[in-house]
């Protein structure tokens, strides 16, 4: 009797076999079966939550719409035609029941999405029976329910108008992310991206459980951010009056993101990367448009804030505060990368300010940084900085500061040794713009500084704990992929980002091991990444192909 029971269990459930649901990111716990179930024409999602917030109800409506319209056929030879007999005899699933666990606080998804990282609750449990009885989704927060809904969406395929799932029963128990921060950064200053492009990016991010949009909104090239208290900065610093983000746009973007489980982390990079401010406030910018630019900046145009000036320090602290107070996120980035010391050495005003104060440049930078960060901590926000502020400069930073490691993945260990929380954003793994050749003119045959192209395979091998001792691993918050846009615009946004950016979503949600305990590996990842890419395309996201369609239909056939 016990042997027959054991055989029955094994035939009903498989622990992440070779052919598994194309879920991305793969849940940290997952059991699947071998049966089929199809959705009833009257399928509904029942929300058993007291006074459910509107954004949860909206998420449920979107989930039903996606399931009805994705129409994704299985990526197999015949596109699922061999499933037809099993589908005809399969039981019908009529309902998904959604509820919060007892004792959970009911908050809007948007509110949960911007809670401090340590307090953010994203886990969920999901079961889909094989006998047609109701599927069940539970969580401890509405944000967790939202994450579970995105997983549920990925279970379904279409054959001749019938929506079905082919590996039930499904049991996912307390699928929680390995890391709280899973991000994507977009630079909207070098080239402008309309609001609709950003929203479409959020749709793709939420599908793969990316929860942070790092918005590098301004830079030396343009200042498209309208600030009510400083209207002149964007009026004169944006490319045009049509290429700006108004306060209404910002709130629209933040709201759209929050409803999709995404926190918007805005960056106003200082003191470098600020030449665009010279159009309205030349008194605050050193070496504006200085030539040759290579002596004064890492890329044209040259120009950075006169950090030794008390007036400049007050100006930028007020500007940052004016923006930060309008945003719900607890994080705000002040940048701090690529400060050019030669610029300040050649700037007479800066040298005069240093002489008058009796400070060195590093001491002035410390005063400047403490002022800008105080404008954030006074609002209850934590500053975010690039790694140079910790590794290259001697400045005092609040204990809550989050450090973005970008120059090299090898530098993360040095940041951790200094006791700072960190986010992996290394150019050697996660820079999506690398490999397109040098964008500076008159450079025939030159390559980009961060060549080669960062393939999804490279990103997928990333180890967040490399060279970081166990005693410091709690400092690692997660990671993000980044798109600097010297050679990107709305025309190639989707294709350069997706599906590559989804790789880090799994690295930082699933962690180092798959549900069966084996190490995460590219061979089992590729069929699932194909699947999520095709699903994105069906939703209007122009994600680029990873292989010929022939290979996508034959998992493993195009491996070496």
């Amino acid at each position: 009797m016990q042997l027959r029971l054991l055989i029955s269990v094994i035939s009903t459930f498989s622990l992440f076999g070779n052919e598994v649901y194309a879920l991305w990111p793969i849940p940290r716990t997952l059991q699947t079966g071998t049966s089929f179930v199809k959705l009833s024409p009257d399928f509904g999602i029942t929300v058993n939550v007291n006074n459910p917030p509107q954004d949860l109800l909206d998420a449920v409506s979107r989930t039903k719409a996606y399931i009805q319209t994705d129409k994704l056929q299985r990526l197999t030879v015949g596109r699922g035609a061999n499933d037809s007999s099993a589908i005809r005899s399969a039981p019908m699933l009529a309902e998904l029941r959604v509820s919060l666990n007892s004792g959970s606080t009911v908050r809007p998804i948007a509110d949960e999405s911007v809670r401090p990282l340590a307090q953010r609750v994203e886990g969920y449990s999901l079961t889909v029976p094989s006998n047609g009885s109701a599927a069940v989704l539970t969580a401890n927060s509405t944000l967790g329910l939202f994450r579970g809904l995105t997983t549920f969406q990925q279970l379904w395929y279409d054959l001749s108008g019938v929506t079905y799932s082919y590996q039930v029963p499904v049991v996912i128990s307390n699928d929680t992310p390995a890391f709280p921060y899973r991000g994507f950064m977009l630079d909207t200053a070098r080239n402008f991206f309309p609001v609709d492009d950003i929203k479409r990016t959020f749709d793709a991010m939420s599908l793969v459980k990316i929860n942070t949009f790092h918005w590098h909104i301004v830079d030396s090239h343009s200042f498209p951010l309208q600030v009510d208290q400083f209207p002149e900065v964007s009026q004169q610093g944006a490319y045009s009056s049509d290429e700006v983000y108004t306060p209404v746009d910002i709130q629209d973007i933040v709201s759209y993101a929050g409803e999709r489980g995404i926190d918007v982390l805005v960056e106003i990079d200082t003191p470098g990367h600020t030449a665009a401010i010279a159009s309205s406030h030349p008194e605050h910018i050193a070496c504006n448009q200085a030539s040759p630019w290579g002596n004064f900046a890492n890329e044209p145009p040259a120009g950075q804030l006169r950090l030794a000036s008390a007036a400049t320090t007050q100006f930028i602290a007020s500007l940052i505060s004016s923006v930060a107070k309008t945003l719900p996120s607890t994080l705000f980035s002040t940048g701090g990368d690529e400060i050019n010391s030669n610029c300040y050495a050649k700037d007479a005003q800066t040298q005069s300010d240093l002489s008058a104060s009796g400070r060195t440049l590093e001491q002035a930078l410390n005063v400047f940084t403490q002022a800008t960060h105080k404008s954030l901590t006074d609002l209850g926000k934590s500053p975010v900085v690039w790694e140079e502020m910790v590794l290259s400069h001697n400045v005092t930073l609040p204990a809550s500061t989050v450090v973005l490691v970008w120059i090299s993945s090898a530098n993360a260990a040095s940041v951790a040794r200094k006791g700072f929380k960190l986010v992996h954003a290394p150019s050697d793994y996660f820079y999506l713009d690398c490999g397109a050749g040098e964008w500076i003119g008159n450079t025939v045959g030159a390559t980009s500084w961060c060549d080669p192209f960062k393939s999804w395979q490279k990103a997928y091998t990333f180890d967040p704990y490399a060279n970081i001792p166990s005693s410091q691993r709690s400092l690692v918050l997660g990671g993000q992929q980044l798109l600097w846009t010297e050679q990107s615009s709305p025309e190639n946004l989707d294709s350069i980002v997706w599906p590559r950016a989804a790789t880090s979503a799994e690295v930082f949600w699933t962690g180092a091991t798959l549900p069966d305990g084996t190490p995460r590996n590219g061979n089992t990842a590729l069929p699932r990444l194909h699947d999520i890419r095709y699903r994105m395309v069906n939703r209007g996201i122009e994600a680029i192909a990873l292989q010929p369609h022939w290979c996508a239909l034959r998992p493993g056939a195009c491996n070496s």
Side-chain angles (χ1 to χ4, degrees), residues 60-82:
V60 166
S61 296
R62 289 197 304 275
T63 295
K64 291 177 64 177
Y66 283 138
I67 292 172
Q68 292 169 357
T69 61
D70 271 355
K71 300 297 182 185
L72 179 64
Q73 296 177 317
R74 283 183 60 192
L75 293 182
T76 185
V77 175
R79 304 309 300 272
N82 291 337

Side-chain angles (χ1 to χ4, degrees), residues 1-13:
M1 178 65 180
Q2 289 180 339
L3 179 60
R4 286 199 300 272
L5 178 60
L6 178 60
I7 292 173
S8 175
V9 171
I10 290 174
S11 64
T12 302
F13 285 94

